[in-house]
Each structure stands twice: as structure tokens, then as C-alpha cells.
Amino acid sequence: MEAFLLAFLVIVVGIQGLWAFLGHYFRSDEIAAFIGWPADSPFQKEVAFGNLAFGVLGILCLWFRGGFWIATAIGISVFMLGAAIVHVKDIRETQNRSPGNAGPILWTDILTSLVLLVLLALYFL
């Protein structure tokens, strides 16, 4: 269980967070179009740094354990579930069904958070 949770934190939170940072920061307009949102928004850069922060935390899970894992998992879950809420609200209000808004990313935000929190509970409880 420990090895799987560690791999999940490092790969799914860490590496994915770094990858998301690169997209939101260096390809902001393309990512905005994929989501169905307007280009040239400074919020893309802010989201990029949020992803970078969680990416770094995920990678640091290689060296820090215990409460650090708990904080990392809860933090990324709040971030991802919050993003899912924003996507669902956008779908309802504007019928934005772009792949980056209503597609796999929405489900990944929800499922990743749920899997991570279940793994965390199984490991620490």
C-alpha cells in the first residue's frame, strides 16, 4: 500500500502537476481554447503556478512522509475538486462542452481526488 500511495503521489500529483504547469504557463492560449475559455487571461498563469506548487509537493513525497503526504493529498484534492466544480458550473451555465471542460479532465479531477483520499485513508487509518 505504501509503495502504491507513494507512486500515486509522485507520478499523478508530482509529474502531472509539473506537466500541467508547463501547459498552463507556456501554452496558455492553446489550453484556454481546449477548455473553451477565452485566451489571454492572466488566470492561466496563476493556475500554472498552483499546478507547479502541487507538482513540487508530489515530487517531495519521495523524501518526506507522514503528515506531508496527508497535506499534499488533501491540498491537491481540494484544488482538483474545486476545479471540477468550476467546470460543472461552466457546463450548466454556458453549455461549454469543450473536451478540456467536460471531457476526461473533469473526470480525472474527480476520480484522482477520490482515489487519492481513499488510498490515504486506507494507509493511515
Side-chain angles (χ1 to χ4, degrees):
M1 179 62 77
E2 180 179 8
F4 186 74
L5 178 56
L6 177 59
F8 200 89
L9 286 163
V10 172
I11 295 167
V12 176
V13 177
I15 294 172
Q16 185 276 334
L18 299 177
W19 184 255
F21 163 76
L22 293 172
H24 281 284
Y25 192 84
F26 293 107
R27 301 180 84 173
S28 302
D29 291 346
E30 288 178 55
I31 297 298
F34 180 66
I35 299 171
W37 292 348
D40 251 357
S41 171
F43 286 108
Q44 286 281 50
K45 303 292 187 200
E46 289 185 14
V47 169
F49 282 104
N51 280 299
L52 178 60
F54 285 113
V56 169
L57 291 173
I59 299 296
L60 287 174
C61 286
L62 283 167
W63 296 280
F64 299 102
R65 307 291 167 126
F68 190 84
W69 285 12
I70 295 169
T72 300
I74 290 172
I76 191 65
S77 295
V78 168
F79 179 73
M80 293 178 89
L81 290 171
I85 290 167
V86 170
H87 290 300
V88 168
K89 185 175 188 260
D90 193 39
I91 292 165
R92 285 185 172 173
E93 291 178 359
T94 69
Q95 276 64 67
N96 177 1
R97 301 214 182 277
S98 299
N101 195 55
I105 298 299
L106 171 61
W107 296 108
T108 301
D109 285 348
I110 296 167
L111 293 174
T112 298
S113 300
L114 295 177
V115 168
L116 187 55
L117 293 172
V118 167
L119 288 173
L120 200 66
L122 291 172
Y123 181 69
F124 282 101
L125 297 179

